[in-house]
């Protein structure tokens, strides 16, 4: 689609153009020599460059359509004076006054460069000042606009002998980087793209697929555009040249080397000054030239190119108008070019526009449009801020730091405290199994002992019934004994079944402890976990043992009571019978001596028999047998050794874990029958009553034999020392004490070994 004059007139309003010769003419003095930063707003700086007449224009004898008044202003289409007008020594033809009235419009810009200006001069006035701004962290843009053949590429790129402002700016940039390399760590990268027929291409990677634009936080990002890191100015120039070679260029009637695309060359600069980072971008844009199809004589592909160029430039004009009017909505999305230039025009950027025009009447419309367009652009204000990233304050910086530190911590944790969840599970499984098996075993052992105890009593009663000749009771007793024996067998077989399972668990626990030992610093931690479970097992065992002993003592007390009642009932009857027999003279000498002996025995029962008076400890001491703790010593954390000869018993208390109460490391319980410590006899004949928990745990009360009276003995000489208290307060030790032979006196000694 070719655009005509009307289209451009719509795009660029002419309010800013003022008649130069009218007495009413006013010169707009816009002081924007430098980027005016008022409230962070910066006006777009606009420069006009007039190129010399080219051969074609000269040969056709075209007239000059503008006069440069001074450094900043020009008059477009000035009134023709009657005096002949000379150009390069030749009298120029005057305009046909009958056809058109001269516009005679004064335009004012930041600077106007005449036909004789050089690229150096343009650079000095336009982009040279951008370099320090870049170093301050401001984004900068320079773009060249103009009709085809107006001199845009000449201004931006120049020739071998007359390098353009892009080269000159880069040279200055590299020079300043070199100068500040002591204090600044600068890294630069470049990208180069073109928009050709609304397709965005990476000029440094021409084989890569077309690039897509996307919005990111209000900014337009060219997705997939590669930024090449630059280490030298040579590398930078070679990339620029390479990109230029890849640019779409085709000859038109107006320009033998016409650029048919909009080219955007960007230099990305990152400056690091001891943690304070500035990031800035210099964009150098060589736009394709607007053209009139009729003027350029384009057809086919060239015509399509021209249409797209005009379309995008029209969109650019609309954006500039909206921006100049301060409108909220700016139609950036109308073309890819305007989307790419969004940042340069209305974003955070110091922008310079160089409008190139031809002085020839042949390009009258184009030059007029360009001037109007440039004039509107002067009103645009961009919002500029320094792209300073204070890394000590940046949220993103801290976020990254936190992420990195978290990663480090998790790595360190893995080294110092590796994931112990597997260990936890293994320890728990083994120790819980141990606990359950131990609990079952103690239960069975308790049942076994109690049943054995009952069996013992029933067997003892057998001879009594036998001698009494009570065959009926004897047969009932025998069947009860048979049942009890069967029950004991049943319990024992269950114990036998449990044993292999306990052994298997024991092996697992052994392996676990061995594995834990090899875990270096972790082993202490894991061992504590095992100890914690072991402590639970010990506690449970102690509770079970106390329950068991209470049951035994209750049963014994019941038994004793029965016997006491029996003796108390029989004694008066026996005395009476014997008196009657003696009265009737039936008592023989033998019977009399037997009766005397029986009476003596009964008297003996009334007296207390001292434990210490017994020389020998009964081998099958009932308490020792019935105690659960010594029946299954290996299952407990308390290991007990017995030394029969020296009558020394030792309880070694396992080294306490941090979770266990503090106890003396080892306590020796020594049977000391020969010591002078006297015991006070209690002559009171007390009625038996069930022992209390206190009685049991204090180890004071002693039940002697099943046929004796319950006799209370106070062990007063054994004053409770601190050590003793410690021992007595410990349930494990109490359990041990209650299981000791009843006829030995024990002295507690502390051993550090
Ligand atoms: N200021 C100048 N001094 C001398 N020669 C110039 C000047 N400006 C442009 N020319 C010459 O005019 C011709 C066209 O210029 P140029 O290619 O830069 O135009 P353009 O605006 O880039 O055109 P297009 O949009 O078609 O690419 C070139 O031969 C160039 O050398």
């Amino acid at each position: 689609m070719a655009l005509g004059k009307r289209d451009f007139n719509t795009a660029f309003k002419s309010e800013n153009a003022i008649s130069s010769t009218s007495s009413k003419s006013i010169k707009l003095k816009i002081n924007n020599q430098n980027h005016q930063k008022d409230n962070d707003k910066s006006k777009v700086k606009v420069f006009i460059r007039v190129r010399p007449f080219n051969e074609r224009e000269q040969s056709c004898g075209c007239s000059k359509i503008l006069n440069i008044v001074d450094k900043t202003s020009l008059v477009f289409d000035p009134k023709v004076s009657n005096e002949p007008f000379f150009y390069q020594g030749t009298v120029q033809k005057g305009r046909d006054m009958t056809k058109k009235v001269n516009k005679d419009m004064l335009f004012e810009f930041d600077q106007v460069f005449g036909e004789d200006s050089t690229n150096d001069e343009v650079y000095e006035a336009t982009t040279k000042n951008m370099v320090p701004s870049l170093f301050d962290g401001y984004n900068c843009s320079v773009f060249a606009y103009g009709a085809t053949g107006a001199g845009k590429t000449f201004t931006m790129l120049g020739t071998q002998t007359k390098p353009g402002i892009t080269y000159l700016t880069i040279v200055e940039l590299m020079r300043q980087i070199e100068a500040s390399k002591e204090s600044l760590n600068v890294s630069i990268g470049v990208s180069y793209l073109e928009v050709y027929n609304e397709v965005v291409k990476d000029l440094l990677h021409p084989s890569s697929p077309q690039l897509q634009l996307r919005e990111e936080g209000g900014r337009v990002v060219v997705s997939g555009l590669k930024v090449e890191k630059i280490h030298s100015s040579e590398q930078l120039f070679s990339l620029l040249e390479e990109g230029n070679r890849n640019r779409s260029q085709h000859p038109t009637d107006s320009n033998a080397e016409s650029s048919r695309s909009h080219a955007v060359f960007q230099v990305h600069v990152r400056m690091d000054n001891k943690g304070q980072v500035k990031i800035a971008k210099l964009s150098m844009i060589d736009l394709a030239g607007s053209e009139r199809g009729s003027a350029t004589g384009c057809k086919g592909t060239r015509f399509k190119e021209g249409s797209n160029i005009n379309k995008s430039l029209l969109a650019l004009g609309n954006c500039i108008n909206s921006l100049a009017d301060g409108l909220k909505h700016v139609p950036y999305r109308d073309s890819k070019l305007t989307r790419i230039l969004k940042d340069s025009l209305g974003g955070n950027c110091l922008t310079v526009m160089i409008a190139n025009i031809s002085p020839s009447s042949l390009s009258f419309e184009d030059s007029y449009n360009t001037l109007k367009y440039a004039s509107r652009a002067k009103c645009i204000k961009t919002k500029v801020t320094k792209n300073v990233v204070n890394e000590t304050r940046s949220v993103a910086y801290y976020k990254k730091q936190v992420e990195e530190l978290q990663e480090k911590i998790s790595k360190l944790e893995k080294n110092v405290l590796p994931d112990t969840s597997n260990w936890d599970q293994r320890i728990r499984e083994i120790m819980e199994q141990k606990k359950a098996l131990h609990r079952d075993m103690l239960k069975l052992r308790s049942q076994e002992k109690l049943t054995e105890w009952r069996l013992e009593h029933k067997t003892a009663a057998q001879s009594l019934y036998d001698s009494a000749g009570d065959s009926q009771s004897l047969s009932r007793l025998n069947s009860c004994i048979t049942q009890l024996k069967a029950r004991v067998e049943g319990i024992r077989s269950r114990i036998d079944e449990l044993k292999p399972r306990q052994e298997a668990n024991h092996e697992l626990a052994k392996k676990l402890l061995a594995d834990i030992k090899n875990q270096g610093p972790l082993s202490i931690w894991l061992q504590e976990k095992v100890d914690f479970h072991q402590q639970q097992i010990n506690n449970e065992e102690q509770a079970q043992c106390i329950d068991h002993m209470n049951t035994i003592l209750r049963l014994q007390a019941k038994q004793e009571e029965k016997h006491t009642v029996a003796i108390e009932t029989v004694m008066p009857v026996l005395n009476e019978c014997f008196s009657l027999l003696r009265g009737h003279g039936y008592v023989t000498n033998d019977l009399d001596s037997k009766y005397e002996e029986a009476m003596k025995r009964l008297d003996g029962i009334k007296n207390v028999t001292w434990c210490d008076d017994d020389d020998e400890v009964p081998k099958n001491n009932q308490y020792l047998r019935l105690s659960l703790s010594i029946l299954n010593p290996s299952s407990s954390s308390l290991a007990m050794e017995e030394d029969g000869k020296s009558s020394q018993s030792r309880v070694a208390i396992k080294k306490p874990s941090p979770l266990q109460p503090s106890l003396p490391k080892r306590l020796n319980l020594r049977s000391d029958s020969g010591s002078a410590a006297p015991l006070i006899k209690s002559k009171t004949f007390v009625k038996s009553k069930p022992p209390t928990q206190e009685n049991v745990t204090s180890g004071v009360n002693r039940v002697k034999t099943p046929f004796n009276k319950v006799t209370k003995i106070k062990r007063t000489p054994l004053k409770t020392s601190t050590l003793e208290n410690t021992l007595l307060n410990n349930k494990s030790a109490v359990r041990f004490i209650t299981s000791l032979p009843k006829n030995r006196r024990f002295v507690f000694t502390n051993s550090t070994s």
Side-chain angles (χ1 to χ4, degrees), residues 49 119 144 149-159 162-166 244 247 249 255 257-259 261 286-289 356:
R49 186 175 193 188
N119 278 342
K152 300 178 296 293
T153 308
F154 183 85
T155 303
M156 295 303 289
L157 300 178
T159 61
K162 296 168 186 164
I165 61 169
T166 302
N244 290 338
R247 199 175 164 192
Q249 250 178 3
N255 186 359
E257 291 173 52
S258 180
S259 310
S261 67
D286 182 13
L287 298 175
N356 293 84

Side-chain angles (χ1 to χ4, degrees), residues 411-687:
K411 267 184 195 164
L412 285 170
E413 272 178 348
K414 272 179 194 158
N415 287 337
V416 178
L417 288 176
D419 183 12
T420 57
S421 52
N422 287 344
W423 279 104
D424 289 347
Q425 198 185 347
R426 189 178 163 197
I427 291 170
R428 197 168 44 245
E429 273 173 15
I430 293 173
M431 296 307 283
E432 287 297 329
Q433 191 190 32
K434 182 177 181 178
K435 195 191 286 179
L437 288 169
H438 189 55
R439 189 189 301 129
D440 291 350
M441 182 57 96
L442 283 178
K443 228 179 192 171
L444 288 170
R445 289 284 185 192
S446 175
Q447 285 172 10
E448 184 195 18
K449 295 300 145 192
L450 291 170
T451 317
E452 276 177 348
W453 184 82
R454 282 196 177 102
L455 187 60
E456 209 172 281
H457 282 272
K458 295 287 177 192
T459 310
Q462 245 179 347
S463 57
L464 286 175
Y465 287 119
D466 199 22
S467 58
D470 186 349
S471 58
Q472 218 181 345
S473 297
L474 187 64
S475 110
R476 269 207 309 272
L477 184 68
N478 284 340
S479 80
C480 180
I481 287 171
T482 314
Q483 274 181 22
L484 284 172
K485 278 182 180 169
R487 196 185 295 171
V488 169
E489 284 312 306
I491 293 167
R492 283 179 185 158
S493 68
R494 282 165 65 194
I495 287 172
D496 288 343
E497 279 170 23
L498 209 57
K499 273 180 183 168
R501 290 175 62 198
Q502 266 196 317
E503 276 161 23
N505 173 267
H506 185 63
E507 286 306 312
L508 284 175
K510 250 168 73 177
K511 174 95 178 40
L512 172 74
L513 290 176
D515 290 349
I516 284 175
K517 264 187 188 165
N518 295 330
Q519 292 305 306
L522 189 66
S523 63
I524 300 169
W525 202 49
L526 295 174
Q527 183 64 53
E528 277 184 8
K529 285 176 185 251
V530 174
D531 288 348
F532 174 73
H533 284 281
Q534 183 60 54
Q535 185 61 38
Q536 286 186 331
I537 294 171
N538 294 346
N539 293 345
E540 210 173 290
E541 182 192 303
Q542 286 164 15
Q544 273 183 284
C545 286
I546 288 168
D547 279 354
H548 172 77
M549 291 309 292
N550 277 339
T551 312
I552 292 282
L553 290 172
R554 265 198 308 275
L555 288 171
Q556 282 221 320
K558 240 182 185 174
Q559 197 71 19
E560 296 299 317
E561 199 171 357
K562 264 163 88 185
H563 291 158
T564 308
V565 170
I567 288 168
E568 283 175 350
T569 315
V570 168
M571 276 289 279
V573 176
L574 181 67
N575 278 335
E576 206 176 317
C577 286
F578 193 78
S579 300
L580 276 171
L581 285 171
R582 191 190 288 276
H584 286 88
Y586 290 127
V587 176
T588 62
N589 287 341
D590 183 45
L591 184 62
D592 193 37
S593 61
K594 280 183 178 170
Y595 178 73
E596 282 296 311
E597 180 64 27
M599 286 304 109
K600 270 185 195 169
R601 282 200 178 190
L602 285 170
D603 276 349
I605 294 169
K606 287 177 191 171
N607 292 329
V608 172
T609 302
W610 295 106
C611 300
D612 301 56
D613 293 344
D614 291 343
D615 290 331
E616 283 183 16
V617 180
K619 278 190 179 165
N620 57 345
N621 179 283
Q622 200 179 28
Y623 284 91
L624 207 63
R625 259 189 317 104
L626 292 174
S627 164
L628 274 180
S629 60
I630 60 166
L631 291 171
N632 195 19
S634 64
S635 63
S636 165
S637 62
L638 288 171
M640 196 179 77
E641 300 158 20
E642 274 200 294
D643 182 347
K645 277 189 180 173
S646 63
S647 299
Q648 276 196 344
S649 301
R650 174 185 291 168
V651 56
I653 296 173
K654 194 169 175 278
K655 185 184 175 184
S657 78
L659 298 165
Q660 286 177 310
S662 174
L663 281 173
K665 281 192 176 175
R666 177 173 285 182
L667 295 168
N668 289 334
L669 265 70
R670 182 161 57 83
S671 166
D672 186 8
S673 55
S675 91
L679 297 174
I680 293 174
K681 295 175 187 177
S682 166
K683 290 190 180 178
T684 325
F685 187 83
V686 293
K687 266 203 158 188

Side-chain angles (χ1 to χ4, degrees), residues 370-419:
T370 301
L371 287 171
K372 285 192 288 182
Y373 167 88
S375 194
R376 289 291 286 162
K378 284 190 300 180
C379 303
I380 298 174
K381 283 180 182 173
T382 55
K383 196 176 180 189
V384 289
T385 49
K386 285 185 186 181
N387 297 312
V388 179
V389 186
N390 191 335
E391 294 203 336
T392 55
R393 289 183 193 166
S394 156
V395 175
Y397 171 80
Y398 280 121
K399 215 174 148 191
K400 202 169 167 240
Q401 285 282 306
V402 168
E403 277 168 12
E404 281 173 8
L405 287 172
Q406 274 173 344
E407 207 173 299
K408 271 186 193 168
I409 288 168
S410 62
K411 267 184 195 164
L412 285 170
E413 272 178 348
K414 272 179 194 158
N415 287 337
V416 178
L417 288 176
D419 183 12

Side-chain angles (χ1 to χ4, degrees), residues 212-224 329-343:
Q212 300 301 327
L213 306 181
R214 62 183 165 80
E215 298 272 336
E216 209 172 77
R219 287 187 317 119
V220 176
V221 175
V222 185
S223 179
H329 174 72
V330 182
Y332 294 114
R333 298 190 70 87
D334 284 1
S335 76
K336 291 206 168 149
L337 174 70
T338 46
R339 288 184 75 192
I340 288 169
L341 292 184
K342 184 180 175 185
D343 212 26

Side-chain angles (χ1 to χ4, degrees), residues 233-253:
S233 45
E234 291 76 25
Q235 195 188 353
L236 201 153
F237 291 131
S238 78
L239 282 172
L240 181 58
E241 274 165 22
E242 187 189 324
N244 290 338
R245 279 197 298 275
N246 294 327
R247 199 175 164 192
S248 305
Q249 250 178 3
H250 301 290
T252 63
D253 287 354

